[in-house]
């Protein structure tokens, strides 16, 4: 197996934001949800550089500061950093995956081709 292959990967995850923002002050709920998405991506993909797509941000903020969605389906893609003088060689891009229902969804590896 080539050493380059496993570092570039995309996976679909369901993040349960309800349990991550439980017992949080109303005005801090949605900002905390964004921070928790970043933390989840860092933990799942093992990169400290996480970039959140504006569609994910809009989806989380859609119901206001007090009421983030209970769950969100995201695609985490580990990509190569094009910037020459970057500290990290890889970064994680968080993109929204539209689903009608969260019932029975598992973590899936997505072909990047």
């Amino acid at each position: 197996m080539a050493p380059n292959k496993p570092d570039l990967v995309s996976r679909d995850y369901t993040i349960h934001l309800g349990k991550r923002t439980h017992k949080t002050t109303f005005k801090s709920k949605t900002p905390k949800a964004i921070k928790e998405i970043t933390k989840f991506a860092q933990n799942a993909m093992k990169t400290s550089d996480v970039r959140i797509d504006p569609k994910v941000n809009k989806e989380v903020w859609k119901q206001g500061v007090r009421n983030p969605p209970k769950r969100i389906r995201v695609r985490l893609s580990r990509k190569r950093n094009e910037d020459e003088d970057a500290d990290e060689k890889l970064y994680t891009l968080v993109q929204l995956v539209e689903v009608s229902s969260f019932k029975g969804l598992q973590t899936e590896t997505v072909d990047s081709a």
Side-chain angles (χ1 to χ4, degrees):
M1 187 185 264
N4 301 6
K5 292 294 178 196
D7 62 349
L8 303 179
V9 68
S10 295
R11 291 190 200 105
D12 287 355
Y13 290 96
T14 301
I15 304 175
H16 189 182
L17 294 175
K19 75 176 183 186
R20 289 177 166 83
T21 60
H22 184 63
K23 290 194 174 183
T24 305
T25 312
F26 272 148
K27 296 294 184 177
S28 307
K29 269 192 188 275
T30 302
K32 182 166 183 176
I34 295 290
K35 288 177 192 141
E36 289 293 327
I37 291 172
T38 304
K39 197 164 95 176
F40 181 88
Q42 285 174 346
N43 196 16
M45 290 294 181
K46 307 293 188 245
T47 60
S48 59
D49 186 6
V50 175
R51 301 171 192 182
I52 296 182
D53 191 54
K55 288 182 182 175
V56 174
N57 197 38
K58 280 227 186 279
E59 183 69 24
V60 174
W61 279 93
K62 185 167 66 174
Q63 298 166 358
V65 71
R66 295 171 61 159
N67 199 11
K70 297 288 182 228
R71 286 181 175 83
I72 190 167
R73 185 79 172 168
V74 293
R75 177 166 294 148
L76 301 182
S77 306
R78 196 181 309 135
K79 300 191 175 207
R80 241 182 251 301
N81 213 339
E82 299 299 325
D83 194 10
E84 294 294 326
D85 54 334
D87 295 337
E88 301 287 324
K89 291 186 182 119
L90 300 170
Y91 70 92
T92 302
L93 179 64
V94 181
Q95 296 171 308
L96 183 67
V97 177
E98 301 277 340
V99 292
S100 57
S101 172
F102 293 103
K103 302 281 185 198
L105 291 176
Q106 300 286 321
T107 298
E108 299 173 357
T109 302
V110 181
D111 293 334
S112 57

